[in-house]
Amino acid sequence: MNLRLLVSAVIVAAALPAHAQQTGIVTVNVTGVHSSAGNILANLCDDPKAQFPGGCATYQTMAIAQQGVTVLEFKGVKPGSYAVQLFHDEDGNMFPNIPPEGFGYGNDQPYPPDFAKSSIKVAGDTTTNVKMTYLGAPTTPTGQKGAPAPAGVTKVDLRENGLYGELYVPASDKPVPAIIVLGGSEGGVMTASQVGVGFAKHGYAVLALAYFQEEGLPKTLEGVPLEYFDKGVEWLKKQKGIDANHIGVIGGSRGSEAALLLGSRRKDITAVAAFAPSNYVWQGLGSNPMAAAAAWTLAGKAIPFVTPDGAAYRPDNMKLMFTNAIDKKPAADTEIAVEKINGPILFISGKADALWPSADMSNRAVARLKAKGFKHKVENWQYDGAGHLVFMGDPTSPGAISMSKAAPNPMLGGTGEAGMKAWTDNWPKTLAFFDAALKGKQ
C-alpha cells in the first residue's frame, strides 16, 4: 500500500538494469504541475504496435510531484525511439484518474496522441520537456477526499481534534465491528480508503486514517505522535453504530509499523494485520532522506529507530539498504514489541519484495512472538513472485486490476500476474481472519 517510497525526496529510476554498453539517462522536465500531491509516473515505449497510450512500458519511472516543474529520470536507456507518456498520480493509487488527474505526452502531443509524434530519439543522455494537461479542477473539494462509499454504506469526513480521515459505516440494525486502515509511505488518505471500502462492503465500519500529508497533519513522515492514533481510536469508539469492543487495525509498509505499534499499546485493539510489514521501527522520511529523524514520537520523545544503510542505495535495489542495516543487529529497542498485542496477528509479505525485506521481517516478528510465548493466533502468509504490493484489498477493484496489467516495477518487485494471484488468495483469507477475531466466526 505503499507507494511514496521509503526514501523520500529522491528521484527514483525504476528502469530495468541495462546490460548494453551504450546506454544513457533520459531526463524529462515536466512543467505545469499544479500541486505537490502524489507522484508523477512515466513510461517510455519502443513498440509502435502497442496500445498507446496504454500499458506499454519499455522503461518506467516515477518522482514525487513538485508544483511547477518535476524532473523525471530514466536510467540505462538503450539507443532508439521512444514514445513518452506520463500522468500525475495525485491520489496515490497508481491508476490514471483522468479527469481530474493530469497527463502528458512526448513533444506535447494532444489527446489522443500519435505514437510517432509523441516519440523522442535517444542516443545517449537526452533531455526533453513535457507540459502537464489537466481537464479537471486543480484541487479536490472538501468532502470529496477518499474513495466513494459503496452502496449501503455511509461516508463521514473526519476533520476534528487534529484528525484527518474517512469513516465508512455499513447500514445495520446493530453495532458493527470496526477496522482502522493505515496507508504507507505514500501518505494521505486515498490509498487507505480504497483498501478500506472493500471491508465496508463486508459489514465492517472502516476508519481510513491519514497520519501525514493531509491538511493539519505533518507534511512528511517525521515526528508523528503515536497519541494521534489513540485519538483516532477514541473518536471511532464514540461513533454511532460502532461496536467499540471489537476494533482491529490493518496497515501496509510504513503503515504496518503504525498498526503494530498501535496494537502493542492498546488492549482495545483485538486484531492486527500487517502487509509488506516491518518488525522494526525505521527512520522518518523527510525532505532530506539522509537526515536521521524519528518517524514516530511518544510523549514528545522520539521512538528509537533503525537507519537504512545509505551507502547501499541503488535506484533498482533499495532492499539492500534495509537488509544491511538489519545484518548489523539493530538496537533491541528498535524492534516492535508485537508480543504485547491483545489478539491474533496476521503478516502478509511477497517473497519478491524489492523495496525492503518484508518476508524476512515477518519471519523475525513471528520468531519473537514464539520466543515470548505469545498466546494468540499468528498467521504468516508469504507469496512467491509477489512484490511490495502484496495486498490490494478487493482484487476486483479498478486499482488492483490496473496494477495486475502493469509492467513489472523492479523498484517494488514482483509481477502483476503473481500479484493478482496473491491478492485473489489473501483477500478472502484476510476477511476470514477479521471475521474470526472481530465477529466470532470460525
Side-chain angles (χ1 to χ4, degrees):
M1 165 141 293
N2 67 71
L3 298 182
R4 185 180 297 274
L5 303 177
L6 294 172
V7 176
S8 182
V10 175
I11 295 175
V12 180
L16 288 168
H19 298 287
Q21 292 183 348
Q22 186 182 9
T23 62
I25 297 174
V26 175
T27 301
V28 182
N29 297 313
V30 185
T31 63
V33 180
H34 72 200
S35 79
S36 295
N39 305 298
I40 306 297
L41 277 63
N43 293 341
L44 298 179
C45 178
D46 67 354
D47 183 2
K49 297 180 180 179
Q51 181 180 354
F52 183 80
C56 178
T58 310
Y59 298 94
Q60 56 183 327
T61 193
M62 65 188 295
I64 297 168
Q66 302 293 328
Q67 186 174 4
V69 179
T70 300
V71 181
L72 297 164
E73 286 188 351
F74 297 88
K75 295 183 179 179
V77 180
K78 297 178 182 180
S81 179
Y82 299 93
V84 181
Q85 57 180 329
L86 54 84
F87 76 97
H88 187 176
D89 184 27
E90 292 185 273
D91 60 18
N93 71 348
M94 301 189 78
F95 181 81
N97 180 28
I98 300 170
E101 291 180 334
F103 61 92
Y105 306 104
N107 303 312
D108 290 336
Q109 285 297 297
Y111 184 88
D114 177 81
F115 184 94
K117 293 180 180 179
S118 300
S119 296
I120 61 172
K121 298 292 185 181
V122 176
D125 292 348
T126 305
T127 299
T128 189
N129 300 323
V130 174
K131 184 177 180 180
M132 190 71 75
T133 297
Y134 296 89
L135 300 179
T139 58
T140 304
T142 301
Q144 298 301 313
K145 277 294 188 86
V153 175
T154 300
K155 178 184 176 184
V156 178
D157 295 325
L158 169 55
R159 310 285 192 273
E160 63 181 70
N161 196 24
L163 295 167
Y164 195 108
E166 302 295 339
L167 176 66
Y168 301 85
V169 182
S172 176
D173 57 2
K174 61 181 181 180
V176 297
I179 298 175
I180 299 171
V181 183
L182 304 174
S185 53
E186 76 284 344
V189 75
M190 193 64 195
T191 301
S193 66
Q194 289 173 328
V195 171
V197 293
F199 290 105
K201 292 178 183 179
H202 289 269
Y204 289 96
V206 171
L207 175 58
L209 187 62
Y211 50 93
F212 75 103
Q213 211 184 72
E214 293 288 6
E215 185 178 356
L217 302 181
K219 296 301 181 185
T220 58
L221 182 48
E222 292 180 296
V224 177
L226 294 184
E227 292 90 346
Y228 173 84
F229 301 99
D230 294 333
K231 288 196 300 182
V233 174
E234 294 302 325
W235 181 87
L236 177 62
K237 291 166 68 174
K238 295 176 182 178
Q239 302 311 301
K240 183 179 179 180
I242 303 299
D243 180 355
N245 295 317
H246 294 90
I247 298 177
V249 60
I250 182 170
S253 192
R254 292 307 298 262
S256 73
E257 292 177 33
L260 293 168
L261 287 167
L262 180 61
S264 71
R265 296 176 53 253
R266 298 190 63 106
K267 296 299 182 184
D268 50 2
I269 300 296
T270 56
V272 178
F275 56 95
S278 173
N279 68 313
Y280 293 103
V281 173
W282 294 93
Q283 80 171 46
L285 301 176
S287 56
N288 181 357
M290 296 308 166
W296 321 104
T297 66
L298 183 63
K301 296 181 180 180
I303 299 294
F305 58 87
V306 185
T307 298
D309 179 9
Y313 169 74
R314 300 291 183 276
D316 55 357
N317 185 2
M318 299 177 72
K319 180 178 179 179
L320 190 59
M321 295 192 302
F322 302 94
T323 300
N324 284 2
I326 292 171
D327 288 344
K328 295 176 183 178
K329 298 182 179 180
D333 59 1
T334 63
E335 192 171 359
I336 301 172
V338 289
E339 70 278 3
K340 294 182 179 180
I341 292 173
N342 186 34
I345 307 174
L346 167 61
F347 299 99
I348 309 174
S349 59
K351 294 183 180 180
D353 189 340
L355 195 54
W356 68 359
S358 56
D360 175 61
M361 292 190 288
S362 296
N363 292 338
R364 289 172 182 268
V366 172
R368 179 183 176 110
L369 290 167
K370 184 176 180 180
K372 298 287 185 179
F374 189 67
K375 297 180 180 180
H376 299 285
K377 187 175 182 180
V378 179
E379 300 194 47
N380 184 18
W381 309 335
Q382 300 188 351
Y383 293 90
D384 292 328
H388 195 68
L389 302 182
V390 69
F391 180 84
M392 293 284 285
D394 185 348
T396 66
S397 67
I401 293 173
S402 174
M403 289 305 301
S404 72
K405 297 178 181 178
N409 188 328
M411 186 166 43
L412 300 176
T415 64
E417 181 181 4
M420 179 56 78
K421 186 176 180 180
W423 309 332
T424 302
D425 179 78
N426 61 41
W427 173 237
K429 290 167 64 176
T430 302
L431 288 172
F433 168 82
F434 281 114
D435 284 350
L438 302 179
K439 294 182 180 179
K441 295 183 179 180
Q442 301 298 327

